[in-house]
Amino acid sequence: MNPLLHIENLSVHAGGKALVSDISFAVAPGERLGLIGESGSGKSLTALATIGLLADGLKVSGSVLLNGRQVVGARDRDLVPLRGATAAVVFQEPLTALDPLMKIGRQVGQAVRRRAKRDGRPTDATSVMSEVLDLLDQVALPQPQRIAESWPHEISGGQRQRAAIAMALACKPKLLIADEPTTALDVTTQAEILRLLGQLVRERNMALLFISHDLPVVAGTVDRVIVLRHGRVVEQGPVSTVFREPSHDYTRSLVAAARAFDNALENAP
Amino acid sequence: MTDTNLVAASPEGRTRRSWTFTIGAIIVGLHLVIGLSTLFWTPYDPTGMSGGRLEMPSLSHLAGTDRLGRDLFTLIMIGSRIALVVGTGAVIIGGLIGITIGLLAAFASRTLDDILAASLDILIAFPTLLLAMLIVASSDGASLGTAIVAIGIANSAIVARLTRILAKRVLRMDYITAARISGTSWLGVVAIHILPNIWPTLLVNLALQFGLAVIAEASLSYLGLGAPPPNASWGRLLQEAQGTVYTAPFGAIAPGIALVLLVIGINLLADGLRDIGDPTRRRRR
């Protein structure tokens, strides 16, 4: 089967400095891949590069094939249809992921309408609204009707993140890119969102590119993991292998640090 | 728990208006009604003598008469119409040019953005009035139209700079990226996300520009560069009253009061509009 996302020798430069160098990996349809590394290791840049949304000043080289289409060097106009149909992103900060001046229902409705138009389905207010409510229900938001009528500032951070996930789902993507989707949430909400993401990805047979710096979070969510450091791949493989028998020093220190943190928590009074 | 309370609180908040909006609307509405009524009716003939020269305000002449014996209140009413026309025209011209340039700069490449930003800064460094005078002087002759265009262009630089900065801030938000990913074109992003988000701030600034435009037109008329004589602009009334300001001060005070009232009214209205337009401010008491 052809990979959904095929990245080869991807490098991102800013003013002569390499931010991401020579990264290659592939994501098969339905596969769940984790990108982990510390802040500034190039995780988010890699994610943005896969959909051709890097800032202007950054120079990209290498090859990114998204659903068989070349993203690097492509014109923005050609990428617009590709993006919506293939990939969607859930962001780290639920506060800025929603337009503060648009009710949740309308906001999710935008994405639903765009997708419906592309599929040639009816885009009248009633059918869009019923799909919006359906989506809000699927991301386990209580009282979808009420949430749809709310402004973003009126609901909690966890609910906002669920609404953002509903927006991403509205695109019916083949690949869901989750850029640290739980970092800004408290631990309980984090677990709920992770369970929800895992369930949705399984149900819809989406591929998942999960970006995080949090080892336990990644370990529970994905099948395969890539460890980045200073914009380079230091290790990759199935989650169990990488975390149980890390071969690279950096991964080993990451695992050790996470373990030390766990122990400290357990020993705490 | 808190969510339900917040949501329940919003429907009533939606209809509530702030007092600034009410007062502003009353003042501006009054000017609007008075200004428009002069198209059909004025208390006295604005060009003919209707009483003695330089009369004090009385019941028959609410603002007294000028040195030609014309009723000042009638002239101020007409001035109100001119002020509103100038303000509206200048804001529309300045807003259209300014918002377009500002959005272009926000989306432009680094170099083009730098060039635009620098030229805007240079343009803003010129006093608005000086710029408007230059434009009026370089056109065929002083008329209401040239005054409106001149003030509009002069004000557009400030609108453009504000639009550019506001749009850039919104552009950095994740929801813009999310919209782009879900396949929205740049034009769609502008219409759906950027304009609504920068609108509340922009609206307040445009109202401020309206007030400034009214003042700028009065200044141009005062200098003889505004609307030519048959149009009784407030600035011209002020200028005509200048010679008799010690013997009949009301000739200068009355149009001055009208001018100040309109500008204050517009600013209050703008403030109220922002509170209504921004959902996060609605709950505030």
Side-chain angles (χ1 to χ4, degrees), chain A residues 51 53 76 80 83-84 87 89 91 96-103 110 114 146 150-151 153-154 159 171, chain B residues 3-4 6-7 10 14 173-175 177-184 186 192-193 196-197 278-280 282-283:
Chain A
I51 39 180
L53 273 178
D76 199 60
V80 168
R83 278 188 200 123
V89 180
F91 292 98
T96 59
L98 298 171
D99 188 334
L101 293 185
M102 211 185 275
K103 286 185 181 168
Q110 295 282 352
R114 236 170 273 130
R146 179 178 67 85
S150 304
W151 301 97
H153 70 271
E154 294 172 336
Q159 289 176 327
C171 303
Chain B
D3 293 335
T4 29
L6 293 181
V7 173
S10 62
R14 216 159 288 154
M173 295 290 171
D174 284 341
Y175 56 82
T177 318
R180 296 284 295 142
I181 293 165
S182 79
T184 318
W186 278 125
I192 298 168
H193 294 294
N197 267 290
D278 184 349
T280 56
R282 269 182 211 151
R283 260 180 290 108

Side-chain angles (χ1 to χ4, degrees), chain B residues 189-202:
Chain B
V189 168
V190 168
I192 298 168
H193 294 294
I194 295 183
L195 282 182
N197 267 290
I198 67 176
W199 191 240
T201 318
L202 212 53

Side-chain angles (χ1 to χ4, degrees), chain B residues 61-284:
Chain B
H61 298 285
L62 286 175
T65 57
D66 69 358
R67 62 197 157 92
L68 296 174
R70 295 176 300 187
D71 179 48
L72 259 179
F73 194 72
T74 305
L75 295 177
I76 289 171
M77 281 172 70
I78 294 174
S80 175
R81 186 183 76 209
I82 292 176
L84 288 171
V85 167
V86 169
T88 314
V91 163
I92 290 175
I93 292 175
L96 284 181
I97 298 177
I99 292 172
T100 312
I101 294 179
L103 286 176
L104 276 179
F107 281 106
S109 66
R110 193 86 162 255
T111 338
L112 183 58
D113 180 36
D114 284 348
I115 293 170
L116 279 172
S119 358
L120 287 177
D121 282 342
I122 292 170
L123 218 56
I124 288 167
F126 275 100
T128 307
L129 201 60
L130 191 66
L131 211 60
M133 279 168 67
L134 279 175
I135 297 170
V136 171
S138 62
S139 65
D140 289 340
S143 75
L144 201 58
T146 37
I148 293 174
V149 174
I151 297 168
I153 292 175
N155 285 349
S156 65
I158 294 172
V159 179
R161 186 167 68 167
L162 183 69
T163 307
R164 168 177 170 269
I165 293 190
L166 290 173
K168 281 200 152 190
R169 203 175 57 191
V170 175
L171 271 174
R172 271 204 301 273
M173 295 290 171
D174 284 341
Y175 56 82
I176 299 290
T177 318
R180 296 284 295 142
I181 293 165
S182 79
T184 318
S185 62
W186 278 125
L187 229 60
V189 168
V190 168
I192 298 168
H193 294 294
I194 295 183
L195 282 182
N197 267 290
I198 67 176
W199 191 240
T201 318
L202 212 53
L203 189 68
V204 176
N205 188 263
L206 285 179
L208 205 69
Q209 301 296 330
F210 190 108
L212 290 176
V214 170
I215 294 173
E217 192 277 332
S219 312
L220 281 180
S221 296
Y222 182 85
L223 296 169
L225 291 169
N231 298 307
S233 155
W234 288 335
R236 225 167 48 76
L237 293 181
L238 284 170
Q239 190 243 325
E240 283 176 3
Q242 195 185 22
T244 56
V245 75
Y246 293 111
T247 48
F250 216 73
I253 294 173
I257 289 176
L259 182 64
V260 169
L261 261 184
L262 178 60
V263 174
I264 290 177
I266 293 278
N267 286 352
L268 288 177
L269 190 67
D271 214 37
L273 278 178
R274 183 188 48 188
D275 286 353
I276 289 166
D278 184 349
T280 56
R281 281 164 155 265
R282 269 182 211 151
R283 260 180 290 108
R284 209 189 52 187

Side-chain angles (χ1 to χ4, degrees), chain A residues 17-156:
Chain A
K17 192 171 173 288
L19 301 176
V20 171
S21 34
D22 217 13
I23 288 184
S24 304
F25 65 86
V27 182
E31 190 189 12
R32 297 175 298 166
L33 176 71
L35 269 183
I36 71 167
E38 60 200 7
S39 298
S41 58
K43 309 177 301 257
S44 295
L45 280 178
T46 309
L48 285 179
T50 61
I51 39 180
L53 273 178
L54 284 175
D56 282 344
L58 300 175
K59 239 184 88 224
V60 189
S61 58
S63 151
V64 175
L65 285 175
L66 185 57
N67 208 17
R69 299 263 301 272
Q70 182 59 254
V71 173
V72 176
R75 282 184 311 167
D76 199 60
R77 200 182 313 154
D78 302 329
L79 287 178
V80 168
L82 179 67
R83 278 188 200 123
T86 315
V89 180
V90 177
F91 292 98
Q92 172 175 2
E93 187 54 69
L95 248 177
T96 59
L98 298 171
D99 188 334
L101 293 185
M102 211 185 275
K103 286 185 181 168
I104 305 291
R106 242 193 92 205
Q107 216 154 147
V108 180
Q110 295 282 352
V112 169
R113 191 169 298 118
R114 236 170 273 130
R115 181 69 207 194
K117 207 183 270 172
R118 193 173 294 141
D119 292 352
R121 281 181 296 123
T123 55
D124 58 290
T126 346
S127 49
V128 168
M129 199 57 203
S130 75
E131 196 177 334
V132 167
L133 293 180
D134 195 39
L135 280 167
L136 292 180
D137 189 50
Q138 283 178 41
V139 295
L141 276 167
Q143 308 171 10
Q145 193 81 49
R146 179 178 67 85
I147 298 282
E149 283 295 309
S150 304
W151 301 97
H153 70 271
E154 294 172 336
I155 61 177
S156 71

